[in-house]
Amino acid sequence: MSRQPALSYPGAPQLEFGDGPVRTVAPHDADGDEGIPEAFPSAAPAPEKAATRAGLDTTAVLPYASSRASKNTRGLRAWMLTAPIDVVALLTPLLLSQNYWRGTLANAALTVTFFAAGGLYRARRHVGILDELPSIGGRLLASAAVVAIIAAERHDSVHYVGGFMRGVALSAGLVIVGRAVSRSLTIVARKRRWVEHNTIIVGSGPIGLELARLLRRYPQYGLRFVGCVDATSRQGSSGVPLIGTLDDLEQLTRLSECEVMVIADPDCSESTLMEILLRPVSSRCDLWAVPRLWGSRSLGSYPDHIGAIPIVKIGDTKLSGPRWAIKRASDVVFAATALVVLSPVLLLCALATFLDGGRGVFFQQERIGRYGKPFNVIKFRSMRPVNEHESQTNWSIAHDRRVGPVGRFMRRTSLDELPQLWNILRGEMSVVGPRPERPYFVEKFSVEYPNYAMRHRAPVGLTGLAQVSGLRGDTPISDRARFDNYYIENWSLWLDIKVVLRTVAEVLRGGGR
């Protein structure tokens, strides 16, 4: 079988496909780095004869090799630069006077919280201090007012409040100066391509073509154009070269080490697109989208744009970054505290299980965790399966006569799940999340229900939103998957607290299996 390159534009990195393994044929860029795979076997060729269409030179939208520096900085995020600078600026008054240290610390904590809640630590494509200034100023004033009111209530001296407010004014000015400096550094790093993120554009129409041209021409947006994908690999009238279809997106994401996807004008329905984007590999990318009515006035007081095309950040469809750090920290605190507080209950359960069925108090079973990674879940044994096959394929033992009175009581009160607190400490599970399932059923349900596999983009949990909503035992799997995906896409620490409180109510009511 002869080898044929997937794309044929001049100087492009190529993948050759033949009888042997896939081989990358990539030219060296200006820094001497090799390009990365940016093509796929289903991609359509982009001949030079089609370089000019409707007056646009499509050679200006061809992918290009990444720089050496950007390969080492892909893990950097906007908040890693801005947040430390903000904290230093807010705490600077402590260098001048320690008389107001409580108020200064409170003001710093409140300001950072307000900034985070207002999206001032989120990544932006168009970076400018003037865009942020109204939002920064309003939140600085709000946090200062709250702390000043509390200080005035606690101290009768006007001199104290006045001295504190002078420190606040200094820190506010330094925050604005720090933001201006950090934004300037960000723009310089992007223009020099020290920091850039591999980006796939979904859609090959006029908007996709214009976005590709803008990203290639203006590196200050921090996005390196990898290529376009669409519903079919047929090159559209816009002339933008395609690297594959939507069905190839997961594999293309891995091959190109894609970190960002921009949804432009794909030739498919929204339901089809979301089903693909919510798959585990694709969901790890940051998602941006061009609003359908992008010619109209942008909604929101803090819009973003690439060139003159408005874009909006799609809410995280996964738990990662600071969100994952917060969730993981709360899991560790909860699990460690629960193991200590509930140790007498755990001891009684172990003793009762031993008296009911002899040795082998704990039962371990393989389950599928986050991103499809298998692990062994730990439970108190409520019955002994005939063999491993029965353990893996028997859907429910709710009415199995082999379950003794102790096992039935622990299952009804969910006490048999308590050893999974150890799984949480080990990082294999979370307190709240989709319940883990056995490999046999994961494979079966993933084929039968399109949205089922999407629930594995988050850590599995000791309890879940689906379970406290009555979806336990023999209930529709499609409904469970819907609840699990809703939880992932709308996660907050308060949602976890609500699920835990509802779980406690279910346990006290004996609403288990």
Side-chain angles (χ1 to χ4, degrees):
M1 177 178 176
S2 61
R3 295 181 179 271
Q4 297 293 332
L7 288 176
S8 58
Y9 53 81
Q14 298 290 335
L15 286 183
E16 291 186 354
F17 299 87
D19 299 324
V22 175
R23 184 168 66 91
T24 303
V25 181
H28 291 271
D29 66 3
D31 292 330
D33 294 322
E34 292 187 356
I36 58 175
E38 294 182 6
F40 206 70
S42 61
E48 288 189 82
K49 293 180 181 179
T52 303
R53 291 176 181 266
L56 293 175
D57 183 6
T58 56
T59 58
V61 298
L62 298 179
Y64 54 91
S66 62
S67 66
R68 176 180 297 134
S70 68
K71 293 180 180 179
N72 300 322
T73 58
R74 286 176 184 164
L76 294 180
R77 295 296 180 263
W79 63 270
M80 296 179 183
L81 177 63
T82 54
I85 292 177
D86 286 346
V87 171
V88 170
L90 291 165
L91 296 179
T92 297
L94 293 177
L95 299 177
L96 304 178
S97 174
Q98 284 77 43
N99 295 333
Y100 318 105
W101 66 272
R102 291 187 182 88
T104 301
L105 291 177
N107 180 63
L110 195 59
T111 300
V112 171
T113 302
F114 283 176
F115 280 9
L120 290 174
Y121 293 125
R122 295 175 190 165
R124 285 183 59 79
R125 305 278 54 94
H126 177 77
V127 175
I129 181 61
L130 295 180
D131 294 333
E132 297 178 308
L133 196 56
S135 184
I136 291 174
R139 284 167 173 77
L140 285 170
L141 288 173
S143 58
V146 171
V147 178
I149 291 172
I150 296 174
E153 289 292 329
R154 291 174 57 88
H155 302 275
D156 296 332
S157 173
V158 177
H159 175 73
Y160 181 90
V161 177
F164 168 71
M165 290 307 296
R166 283 192 293 271
V168 168
L170 172 63
S171 65
L174 290 175
V175 166
I176 294 174
V177 172
R179 282 276 172 156
V181 172
S182 68
R183 291 322 187 198
S184 298
L185 291 175
T186 299
I187 292 174
V188 169
R190 287 180 175 181
K191 283 185 175 180
R192 293 181 178 273
R193 294 178 59 201
W194 294 338
V195 178
E196 60 182 358
H197 303 285
N198 293 339
T199 303
I200 290 177
I201 295 176
V202 181
S204 58
I207 299 175
L209 174 63
E210 180 65 9
L211 283 171
R213 184 186 68 81
L214 289 168
L215 294 184
R216 184 178 175 90
R217 185 173 181 181
Y218 301 106
Q220 64 261 35
Y221 294 115
L223 302 179
R224 172 183 170 260
F225 173 59
V226 170
C228 288
V229 298
D230 213 329
T232 64
S233 61
R234 184 177 66 256
Q235 185 170 306
S237 60
S238 65
V240 61
L242 298 176
I243 60 171
T245 67
L246 288 175
D247 292 333
D248 307 327
L249 191 55
E250 279 202 287
Q251 189 167 351
L252 284 168
T253 300
R254 285 192 294 265
L255 288 173
S256 64
E257 298 179 332
C258 176
E259 301 163 278
V260 178
M261 290 186 192
V262 181
I263 303 167
D265 45 5
D267 186 20
C268 66
S269 64
E270 288 187 3
S271 59
T272 301
L273 178 62
M274 288 308 299
E275 179 184 337
I276 294 170
L277 294 177
L278 290 177
R279 291 173 182 170
V281 175
S282 302
S283 67
R284 300 184 196 183
C285 298
D286 289 340
L287 295 180
W288 296 77
V290 178
R292 288 301 179 103
L293 300 177
W294 71 274
S296 61
R297 186 174 184 271
S298 298
L299 298 177
S301 57
Y302 196 31
D304 204 349
H305 58 91
I306 295 177
I309 301 178
I311 58 172
V312 294
K313 180 76 164 61
I314 305 297
D316 287 339
T317 58
K318 61 189 184 308
L319 290 172
S320 61
R323 287 157 52 89
W324 166 241
I326 293 171
K327 184 172 177 61
R328 180 61 189 149
S330 63
D331 285 342
V332 171
V333 172
F334 180 91
T337 304
L339 281 172
V340 173
V341 174
L342 298 177
S343 55
V345 178
L346 289 165
L347 184 60
L348 287 174
C349 289
L351 181 61
T353 303
F354 177 78
L355 293 175
D356 185 54
R359 294 184 177 181
V361 170
F362 295 107
F363 172 68
Q364 295 192 42
Q365 188 178 62
E366 186 180 39
R367 299 289 177 101
I368 300 299
R370 192 182 193 189
Y371 300 137
K373 184 179 179 180
F375 71 100
N376 287 324
V377 72
I378 308 171
K379 303 173 69 173
F380 282 122
R381 178 178 48 77
S382 55
M383 62 162 276
R384 295 186 186 274
V386 173
N387 51 42
E388 182 63 22
H389 181 266
E390 182 192 23
S391 173
Q392 290 292 335
T393 60
N394 189 9
W395 172 242
S396 175
I397 62 170
H399 304 291
D400 198 307
R401 294 183 179 181
R402 290 173 293 173
V403 180
V406 172
R408 199 169 300 280
F409 172 78
M410 286 200 297
R411 289 178 60 81
R412 188 170 64 250
T413 56
S414 299
L415 292 175
D416 61 324
E417 310 281 2
L418 287 180
Q420 292 168 38
L421 292 168
W422 180 246
N423 289 115
I424 296 173
L425 279 181
R426 294 177 59 180
E428 298 165 334
M429 294 179 63
S430 178
V431 176
V432 181
R435 286 292 293 156
E437 195 47 81
R438 287 158 285 181
Y440 171 83
F441 290 106
V442 168
E443 184 177 352
K444 181 176 186 292
F445 296 151
S446 296
V447 173
E448 296 176 357
Y449 305 98
N451 297 332
Y452 187 84
M454 301 175 194
R455 63 198 289 276
H456 291 106
R457 44 195 167 128
V460 293
L462 176 64
T463 183
L465 182 62
Q467 283 63 44
V468 299
S469 300
L471 296 173
R472 305 181 65 169
D474 294 324
T475 52
I477 301 301
S478 57
D479 289 348
R480 292 197 204 181
R482 249 183 242 110
F483 271 83
D484 289 337
N485 286 310
Y486 173 87
Y487 165 80
I488 297 168
E489 292 155 17
N490 296 274
W491 179 86
S492 67
L493 193 58
W494 178 242
L495 180 57
D496 273 4
I497 294 172
K498 288 196 298 183
V499 172
V500 170
L501 292 175
R502 292 175 64 181
T503 300
V504 172
E506 286 289 322
V507 170
L508 295 177
R509 193 165 50 240
R513 299 140 296 175

